[in-house]
Amino acid sequence: ADRIQEHLFSNENEGVDLRCTVVMPGGSGKTRVGMAAAACAFDRDAGAVVIVLIPRLALLEQTVREYLDSAAGSFPEAWRASALCVCSGLGGIELPYTTDPEAIRERLRNHYEHTNSENEKNLIIFSTYASVKNIEAAQKPMAHQWKPFD
């Protein structure tokens, strides 16, 4: 994981679109690579929206917990970001969640309208593959106004 991070996030790739799918064996550091990618996106673009897609709800909960643990429980300050989980809820995790496209759209609208150079805040959206259609439905009507997700 460390060598992958060094290559992907080195200065030689500055300005290059580094969107990708990470395929690695279980326990090899996919979440760490994803966290480094999110941090890179936030450093590059104040007000970025990063979507973290996970195949199953159980893995989504595990991933969100790892992000929270890396932030020592202080998500907004450590990540300079707020979070939204697109799912029906996560056991014991105190983050907002919804599957309603209108609620997702409102959250995105609020994010884009209140992000400025004085109050730079990013947004991480955690979702399962099954719920990505809800994000698409939320984003589609506003795609011409909003910048692409990272």
Side-chain angles (χ1 to χ4, degrees):
D2 291 335
R3 287 190 315 210
I4 293 169
Q5 286 174 271
E6 286 173 23
H7 172 72
L8 287 177
F9 308 113
S10 68
N11 289 334
E12 69 187 53
N13 290 320
E14 193 167 320
V16 175
D17 184 358
L18 294 176
R19 295 171 196 209
C20 64
T21 300
V22 177
V23 180
M24 296 166 53
S28 63
K30 291 182 294 294
T31 301
R32 286 182 42 213
V33 171
M35 287 190 292
C40 184
F42 294 159
D43 287 344
R44 182 182 68 230
D45 183 14
V49 176
V50 170
I51 299 179
V52 178
L53 293 174
I54 306 296
R56 293 184 313 278
L57 189 58
L59 291 174
L60 180 68
E61 185 171 330
Q62 175 184 327
T63 300
V64 170
R65 285 189 191 285
E66 287 186 50
Y67 272 76
L68 287 169
D69 289 348
S70 76
S74 181
F75 204 91
E77 291 79 18
W79 280 97
R80 303 178 322 278
S82 58
L84 173 67
C85 296
V86 179
C87 62
S88 57
L90 298 173
I93 295 178
E94 299 289 326
L95 290 177
Y97 61 88
T98 185
T99 56
D100 177 34
E102 285 297 321
I104 298 166
R105 183 177 305 121
E106 186 57 33
R107 179 63 190 89
L108 287 165
R109 182 180 290 115
N110 185 51
H111 169 76
Y112 286 119
E113 289 177 358
H114 294 96
T115 299
N116 59 51
S117 58
E118 294 174 13
N119 183 22
E120 298 172 348
K121 195 159 205 178
N122 305 293
L123 175 64
I124 299 179
I125 299 175
F126 296 98
S127 178
T128 61
Y129 296 167
S131 293
V132 77
K133 65 185 180 295
N134 301 29
I135 298 169
E136 180 184 21
Q139 190 262 351
K140 199 170 194 173
M142 306 303 289
H144 63 284
Q145 295 176 345
W146 295 343
K147 57 187 173 180
F149 300 144
D150 287 309

